[in-house]
């Protein structure tokens, strides 16, 4: 099972936040066929969560599972880098040897 | 209608000495950059600003750390007796941890900003009702996020956000050299209004820490560098030299120097709030003068504090005993404290701080330093002069008497750097000199200067025996003792020469230029 647990931190409902949400939805639907769980957290509403996870920049996507934990910073418009951050190349290689 | 405020309001930092040179503190409601090389004391000073806010002004604070993990930092400042953890637990200080996780990988995938950081800082400010914020080591943010332009832009926004919240912020930043650019990464662009520089230079193999307020926009401050120390008792202590007020209250009360004949030479003794410099070559009896000066205090039932810089407590005590002064008993009676510290053990700023503390704690009526010139060995002329000025002002401020000794290098005559450096600061200067006379070494004493009173200007011979120092008659028929090359004029000859010149003057018809 390759269940992804992701958390997207945004600060306020800005166009940049919306762009990140849209990009993430797109990637999840097309790439994460193994199942995924996404939480979107607004730092303005939950600053202590951001404190715990030491979030400085937003948008930041945190890949909590599978390990290693990784922070993917930016509005996720660079799709290739996002996939790299999610270790999806490795996943696809192991799926199709 | 509100009246226009000429100068920006200041917020006292509570850092000892800083508020004096800053004319009250750092600009209130603004950001001030504190820049310095590694190990220059930035974090300690910034934390002191925060802790003093809680302790002395009832103002809570937020501490944002970019480089050192909060747990490490709390551990490090425990040596200062600062209980940061306790203050965090008591909701007096909030911590925002902006340090990078070691080994954590980040990937950049598009535009971003630091709104989350600002939101976290704002949350911290709200949670404790903070008035003071420190951003420690913001330089560490740049390698964390690859685009330094974005970081600069965002720091600018954070500074503006903090300003809107009305908090006063101290931002620390590392610089690579003691001169040149204020900080790396072009940070001066976003907190350019107020800049403080800390320096930690190596001068003659000694570390010398200084603080300089480079600029405060719209507010006044003292200019130039001021030395400071960092120690476990008070943290950062700045020595505000030019801001020291030399209040000359000029007491009329006289006290005994311990040598009765010397008191008579000075028209009845030393002034209570004066600084006396006793200068002479080795073996002329300076330490003996100190012993007698202390004895006079003991006899008057007053406390005396002796700083020994060259001899140990045992040596000082034994020497004093040989002149009939019982230091040990005086110490037991609480009338004397002997503090021996070799000048080499620490920097002059630290010596100054320790001596001030000793004086404040013991509350003596007399202070003696034997010898002052020993401190000159370990410092640059500039910091030595600052040391003497600061110490002198402390003693004068308390309206007590200070006696410093100075060892001159030449056996007879001459003057040392110490003399030239501190003679203007002292009120009374007593010179002890060897005099070579008729093939033997004798000793001569003179009161070179005494502020505010007439004094005997003769050069008097003195003898030392097991009862101490005794001043006798002036040397007769000798010139040039103080220059170290005495010439003898015998009485008969002097009379003959005087007569000769008088006769000549009469013969030439009383030429006014010749008289």
């Amino acid at each position: 099972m390759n269940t992804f647990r992701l958390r997207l931190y945004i600060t306020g409902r800005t166009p940049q936040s919306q762009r990140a949400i849209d990009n993430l939805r797109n990637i999840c639907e097309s790439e994460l066929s193994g199942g995924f769980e996404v939480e979107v957290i607004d730092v303005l509403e939950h600053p202590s969560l951001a404190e715990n996870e030491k979030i400085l920049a937003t948008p930041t996507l945190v890949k909590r599972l599978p390990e290693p934990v990784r922070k993917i910073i930016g509005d996720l418009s660079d799709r290739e880098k996002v996939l790299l951050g999610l270790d999806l190349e490795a996943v696809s290689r192991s799926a199709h040897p | 209608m509100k009246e226009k405020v000429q100068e920006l309001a200041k917020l006292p930092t509570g850092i000892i000495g800083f508020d004096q040179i800053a004319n009250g503190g750092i600009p209130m409601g603004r950001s001030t950059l504190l820049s310095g090389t590694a190990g220059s004391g930035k974090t300690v000073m910034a934390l002191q600003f925060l802790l003093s806010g809680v302790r002395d002004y009832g103002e809570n604070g937020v501490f944002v750390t970019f480089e050192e993990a909060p747990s490490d930092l709390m551990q490090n400042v425990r040596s200062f007796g600062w209980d940061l953890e306790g203050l965090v637990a008591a909701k007096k200080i909030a911590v925002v941890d902006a340090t990078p996780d070691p080994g954590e990988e980040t990937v950049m995938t598009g535009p971003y900003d630091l709104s989350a950081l600002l939101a976290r800082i704002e949350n911290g400010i709200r949670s404790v009702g903070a008035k003071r914020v420190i951003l420690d080591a913001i330089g560490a943010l740049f390698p964390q996020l690859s685009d330094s332009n974005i970081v600069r832009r965002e720091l600018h926004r954070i500074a503006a956000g903090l300003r809107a919240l009305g908090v006063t912020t101290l931002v620390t930043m590392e610089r690579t050299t003691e001169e040149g650019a204020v900080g790396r990464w072009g940070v001066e662009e976003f907190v350019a209004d107020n800049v403080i520089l800390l320096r930690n230079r190596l001068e003659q193999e000694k570390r010398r820490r200084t603080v300089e307020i480079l600029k405060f926009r719209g507010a006044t401050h003292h200019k130039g560098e001021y030395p400071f120390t960092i120690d476990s008792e008070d943290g950062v202590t700045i020595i505000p030299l030019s801001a020291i007020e030399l209040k000359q209250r000029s007491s009329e009360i006289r006290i005994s120097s311990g040598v009765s004949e010397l008191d008579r030479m000075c028209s009845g003794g030393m002034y209570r709030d004066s600084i006396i410099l006793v200068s002479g070559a080795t073996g002329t009896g300076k330490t003996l003068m100190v012993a007698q000066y202390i004895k006079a205090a003991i006899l008057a039932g007053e406390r005396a504090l002796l700083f020994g810089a060259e001899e140990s407590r045992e040596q000082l005590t034994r020497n004093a005993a040989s002149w009939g002064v019982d230091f040990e008993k005086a110490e037991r009676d609480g009338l004397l404290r002997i503090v021996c510290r070799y000048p080499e053990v620490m920097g002059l700023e630290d010596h100054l701080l320790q001596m001030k503390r000793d004086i404040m704690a013991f509350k003596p009526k007399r202070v003696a330093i034997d010898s002052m010139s020993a401190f000159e060995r370990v410092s640059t002329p500039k910091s030595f002069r600052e040391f003497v000025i600061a110490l002198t002002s402390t003693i004068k401020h308390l309206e007590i008497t200070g006696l410093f000794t100075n060892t001159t290098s030449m056996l007879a005559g001459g003057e040392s750097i110490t003399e030239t450096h501190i003679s203007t600061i002292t009120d009374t200067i007593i010179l002890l000199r060897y005099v070579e006379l008729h093939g033997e070494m004798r000793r001569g004493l003179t009161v070179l200067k005494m502020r505010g009173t007439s004094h005997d200007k003769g050069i008097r011979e003195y003898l030392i025996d097991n009862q101490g120092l005794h001043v006798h008659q002036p040397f007769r028929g000798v010139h040039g003792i103080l220059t170290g090359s005495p010439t003898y004029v015998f009485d008969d000859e002097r009379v003959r020469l005087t007569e000769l010149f008088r006769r000549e003057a009469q013969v030439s018809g009383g030429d006014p230029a010749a008289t």
Side-chain angles (χ1 to χ4, degrees):
Chain A
M1 273 298 279
N2 286 310
T3 304
F4 280 83
R5 291 191 59 187
L6 306 174
R7 216 176 234 186
L8 179 66
Y9 284 92
I10 54 168
T11 306
R13 296 280 158 176
T14 62
Q16 188 166 263
S17 303
Q18 197 53 52
R19 220 164 31 244
I21 292 169
D22 292 345
N23 286 334
L24 179 61
R25 181 177 295 137
N26 194 302
I27 290 167
C28 287
E29 282 169 1
S30 59
E31 306 283 343
L32 304 184
S33 49
F36 57 89
E37 234 175 76
V38 176
E39 290 173 275
V40 177
I41 290 164
D42 189 340
V43 177
L44 294 179
E45 287 164 25
H46 305 284
S48 51
L49 283 178
E51 193 63 55
N52 293 343
E53 229 158 346
K54 292 169 68 173
I55 303 299
L56 301 178
T58 43
T60 291
L61 178 67
V62 182
K63 174 173 76 83
R64 295 158 67 84
L65 275 178
E67 295 204 334
V69 175
R70 186 167 294 141
K71 282 177 185 162
I72 300 165
I73 295 171
D75 70 353
L76 310 176
S77 53
D78 188 336
R79 195 184 173 96
E80 247 175 72
K81 285 237 180 99
V82 179
L83 296 179
L84 201 75
L86 293 173
D87 294 318
L88 278 179
E89 284 180 328
V91 169
S92 52
R93 250 198 310 279
S94 62
H96 313 281
Chain B
M1 276 285 281
K2 257 191 177 175
E3 225 177 77
K4 197 177 173 235
V5 184
Q6 283 299 311
E7 201 191 42
L8 277 175
K10 298 267 185 68
L11 183 79
T13 60
I15 298 165
I16 301 165
F18 183 83
D19 297 332
Q20 261 175 285
I21 65 165
N23 289 344
I26 59 174
M28 193 184 278
R30 304 292 161 95
S31 293
T32 299
L33 183 68
L34 185 60
S35 179
T37 50
S40 58
K42 300 179 293 292
T43 304
V44 175
M45 200 181 266
L47 274 173
Q48 209 163 335
F49 162 74
L50 214 57
L51 288 168
S52 172
V54 175
R55 212 168 36 197
D56 308 325
Y57 301 97
E59 295 182 348
N60 293 349
V62 171
F63 168 41
V64 187
T65 175
F66 292 94
E67 198 168 54
E68 233 180 320
S71 54
D72 291 348
L73 229 132
M74 288 176 183
Q75 183 78 44
N76 292 348
V77 301
R78 212 171 283 158
S79 62
F80 294 105
W82 297 347
D83 181 18
L84 214 53
E85 274 162 318
L87 293 174
V88 171
K91 294 231 172 270
K92 302 274 187 201
I93 287 179
V95 177
V96 174
D97 181 1
T99 58
D101 275 326
E104 187 190 73
E105 299 169 55
T106 55
V107 181
M108 298 295 166
T109 65
Y112 61 90
D113 58 44
L114 296 182
S115 305
L117 176 60
L118 181 58
R120 285 168 61 194
I121 298 172
E122 283 179 358
N123 179 52
I125 292 169
R126 265 194 302 274
S127 72
V128 298
K131 290 269 177 243
R132 299 174 182 224
V133 173
I134 59 175
L135 307 182
D136 188 43
I138 50 162
L141 199 53
F142 288 85
Q144 269 195 75
L145 302 160
S146 49
D147 192 334
S148 53
N149 282 326
I150 293 182
V151 179
R152 264 197 298 278
R153 182 195 75 203
E154 290 301 306
L155 283 172
H156 204 294
R157 207 157 65 88
I158 288 171
L162 292 172
R163 190 167 162 171
L165 289 168
V167 294
T168 307
T169 309
L170 205 52
V171 182
T172 76
M173 173 81 203
E174 190 169 317
R175 68 199 295 223
T176 43
T177 57
E178 300 291 4
E179 311 299 333
V182 165
R184 298 170 68 190
W185 318 104
V187 279
E188 53 268 55
E189 286 169 28
F190 78 94
V191 272
D193 286 359
N194 313 300
V195 178
I196 300 166
L197 297 177
L198 299 185
R199 292 190 179 92
N200 184 18
R201 287 201 197 90
L202 198 60
E203 278 180 12
Q204 293 184 2
E205 301 181 5
K206 295 278 167 198
R207 282 281 166 201
R208 182 177 147 85
R209 297 179 185 278
T210 63
V211 56
E212 177 188 10
I213 300 171
L214 197 65
K215 55 178 166 177
F216 277 172
R217 183 148 298 170
T220 62
H221 59 85
H222 286 254
K223 291 176 179 64
E225 291 181 42
Y226 293 84
F228 73 91
T229 63
I230 299 179
D231 78 344
S232 58
E233 207 165 311
D234 290 330
V236 170
T237 303
I238 292 159
I239 301 157
L241 287 162
S242 71
I244 289 173
E245 289 174 66
L246 261 178
K247 282 191 208 147
Q248 305 270 10
R249 249 185 258 212
S250 298
S251 160
E252 285 300 312
I253 304 162
R254 303 265 191 166
I255 59 150
S256 172
S257 66
V259 180
S260 52
E261 188 58 32
L262 182 61
D263 292 344
R264 273 194 289 280
M265 287 174 75
C266 299
S267 311
M270 307 295 162
Y271 285 119
R272 154 116 287 165
D273 57 353
S274 68
I275 303 291
I276 306 151
L277 179 69
V278 177
S279 185
T282 176
T284 45
K286 296 184 299 297
T287 303
L288 172 57
M289 287 276 278
V290 170
Q292 293 199 244
Y293 164 84
I294 287 169
K295 186 182 181 182
I298 295 167
L299 288 175
E302 293 176 344
R303 275 195 294 274
L305 180 56
L306 168 61
F307 292 105
E310 281 172 330
E311 289 170 297
S312 68
R313 159 190 303 273
E314 289 70 28
Q315 279 172 299
L316 286 167
T317 307
R318 196 186 58 211
N319 291 346
S322 74
W323 300 311
V325 188
D326 193 345
F327 275 3
E328 277 176 333
K329 183 180 182 299
E331 277 207 291
R332 278 198 305 276
D333 294 346
L335 288 173
L336 175 66
R337 236 198 112 201
I338 303 173
V339 177
C340 289
R341 280 188 211 106
Y342 288 107
E344 283 79 6
V345 296
M346 51 189 168
L348 270 197
E349 288 80 17
D350 295 297
H351 274 292
L352 177 65
L353 197 66
Q354 294 294 340
M355 286 164 123
K356 272 183 162 179
R357 279 187 193 140
D358 293 332
I359 292 170
M360 293 305 174
F362 191 62
K363 297 185 173 54
K365 285 284 186 191
R366 295 182 187 213
V367 173
I369 300 174
D370 188 28
S371 70
M372 190 57 113
S373 42
F375 290 99
E376 193 188 309
R377 284 202 306 263
V378 299
S379 69
T380 59
K382 187 169 180 289
S383 64
F384 179 65
R385 190 175 163 78
E386 288 169 354
F387 169 72
V388 178
I389 290 174
L391 200 59
T392 304
S393 101
T394 303
I395 291 171
K396 289 208 156 201
H397 198 72
L398 295 168
E399 292 175 71
I400 59 178
T401 323
L403 184 137
F404 307 156
T405 67
N406 169 50
T407 308
T408 53
S409 49
M410 287 156 83
L411 279 186
E415 70 175 8
S416 72
I417 304 165
T418 313
E419 272 176 9
T420 48
H421 262 76
I422 67 180
S423 60
T424 50
I425 302 157
T426 56
D427 301 295
T428 304
I429 299 178
I430 298 163
L431 297 185
L432 305 179
R433 290 286 188 260
Y434 283 110
V435 184
E436 190 192 329
L437 205 63
H438 309 301
E440 64 177 319
M441 273 301 199
R442 290 156 75 172
R443 297 183 181 103
L445 171 155
T446 187
V447 180
L448 191 66
K449 137 175 158 183
M450 189 167 173
R451 234 171 237 161
T453 189
S454 64
H455 60 88
D456 186 333
K457 291 166 184 77
I459 300 171
R460 308 275 289 264
E461 178 162 22
Y462 67 93
L463 299 173
I464 295 172
D465 61 17
N466 58 7
Q467 292 300 303
L469 193 145
H470 307 278
V471 180
H472 292 273
Q473 291 308 303
F475 285 100
R476 290 196 187 284
V478 192
H479 292 285
I481 291 173
L482 295 184
T483 61
S485 49
T487 52
Y488 313 106
V489 183
F490 298 106
D491 275 356
D492 310 356
E493 189 156 0
R494 195 171 61 185
V495 172
R496 198 180 66 81
L497 285 171
T498 318
E499 284 297 303
L500 193 75
F501 282 116
R502 192 175 293 157
R503 218 172 297 132
E504 252 180 46
Q506 281 166 352
V507 170
S508 67
D511 182 8
T515 53

